[in-house]
Amino acid sequence: MKIGLALSGGGARGFAHLGVLKALEEMNVSIDRLAGTSAGAIVGAFYAHGYKPDEILTIISGTGILKSVRPAWSWTGFFSLEGFKEVLKKHLPENTFESLQRPLTITATEIRLGKVVYFSEGELITPIIASSTLPAIFSPVSFNGNLYIDGGIMDNLPVRPLIGKCDFIVGVHTNPVSQKFDIKNAKEVTMRSLLMAINVNSTASKAFCNVVIEPPALAAYSPLDVSKAKEIFDIGYHFTKENFTATDFELKDYERNP
């Protein structure tokens, strides 16, 4: 049985993906294929390359992502992720999908055409950056004659690349929306509005998953809470260990014979 893993976007909440992966490994649940958006694309690339969840946490939190973000001086966005591209090149030096140990698909949104695009071959790092480019905050990424922004705008939980290629699909969604919200500033309003919008397309994707892992405690964290990486990692880990067992990731009889 081939298991596919879809990893959502979510900014700093994406550190929970690593905790989930660690818990799955301890259950001896082997992932055969991955698809990721934004933070999920970053985690998916490192994991597909062969890094362990704890290693990825150390790499991403230790490199100081915020320090790698640079002013863009552009009307299309306040910041650029070019600095983070250099971090990725250091740890993913082969820079191709073909060099990965597991197949990976990355989602991005082509802003001029208004459609979702799936990358699964050729250059790896630029699609990762494109998938992580939050509109208005970061400048769009130009790649092969097209212009891309965050994949979560159109497909925040990318299960479609896994359908037909995997027997069992696990979705990890890190964007629960808290029922309580205090308006503090324009940034918080913008981030919450974005989370609400992308949750619409995530709901449809969840229907194609055999299992959905969505730790509700993540609602208390902002997508910008990079300094709380270990806390968020632990939430993903403990939620998975406490609510799932290895048998939850096996095909049931009714699934084999519908």
Side-chain angles (χ1 to χ4, degrees):
M1 182 181 77
K2 290 187 176 181
I3 299 178
L5 184 68
L7 301 173
S8 77
R13 292 175 173 185
F15 285 110
H17 290 318
L18 297 172
V20 172
L21 281 166
K22 182 175 181 177
L24 292 178
E25 285 191 346
E26 291 180 357
M27 296 179 197
N28 294 316
V29 176
S30 179
I31 304 301
D32 298 285
R33 182 179 290 267
L34 299 101
T37 294
S38 196
I42 297 171
V43 169
F46 276 99
Y47 193 71
H49 184 276
Y51 289 103
K52 290 292 187 179
D54 285 306
E55 291 180 300
I56 303 170
L57 175 64
T58 299
I59 290 169
I60 299 178
S61 61
T63 52
I65 292 177
L66 293 180
K67 292 181 181 179
S68 69
V69 173
R70 298 171 178 170
W73 308 115
S74 168
W75 64 271
T76 57
F78 296 112
F79 301 101
S80 166
L81 286 171
E82 284 300 309
F84 186 52
K85 182 181 288 189
E86 296 171 9
V87 173
L88 293 174
K89 285 181 179 178
K90 177 181 178 181
H91 297 282
L92 303 170
E94 300 87 353
N95 192 20
T96 66
F97 282 92
E98 290 76 13
S99 67
L100 300 175
Q101 295 180 12
R102 295 176 174 90
L104 169 70
T105 300
I106 289 175
T107 304
T109 301
E110 213 297 342
I111 190 169
R112 288 182 295 203
L113 299 177
K115 70 175 187 179
V116 63
V117 177
Y118 299 104
F119 296 96
S120 58
E121 59 184 23
E123 184 181 341
L124 172 64
I125 291 176
T126 299
I128 294 174
I129 297 297
S131 182
S132 307
T133 302
L134 284 170
I137 297 176
F138 297 112
S139 294
V141 172
S142 178
F143 184 55
N144 292 340
N146 294 307
L147 202 61
Y148 297 100
I149 60 171
D150 198 293
I153 300 300
M154 300 205 62
D155 193 358
N156 193 52
L157 186 63
V159 301
R160 277 185 277 179
L162 304 175
I163 296 172
K165 296 179 180 179
C166 298
D167 306 298
F168 194 99
I169 297 176
V170 180
V172 185
H173 189 251
T174 61
N175 284 317
V177 179
S178 172
Q179 300 301 305
K180 295 181 180 180
F181 177 64
D182 295 324
I183 299 177
K184 298 177 181 178
N185 51 51
K187 180 183 70 176
E188 293 293 337
V189 172
T190 300
M191 294 305 300
R192 182 172 175 84
S193 299
L194 182 60
L195 287 175
M196 293 169 64
I198 64 179
N199 265 4
V200 174
N201 67 60
S202 296
T203 299
S205 296
K206 290 176 186 178
F208 292 96
C209 297
N210 299 84
V211 171
V212 175
I213 302 174
E214 184 177 27
L218 294 176
Y221 293 82
S222 163
L224 302 176
D225 281 339
V226 178
S227 63
K228 298 179 180 178
K230 185 58 168 62
E231 290 179 37
I232 296 171
F233 175 100
D234 289 341
I235 287 172
Y237 174 78
H238 291 297
F239 179 82
T240 306
K241 294 283 282 189
E242 292 167 5
N243 291 276
F244 300 93
T245 65
T247 58
D248 291 312
F249 302 94
E250 298 173 356
L251 282 173
K252 309 300 187 294
D253 289 337
Y254 68 85
E255 290 175 315
R256 295 191 185 96
N257 301 293

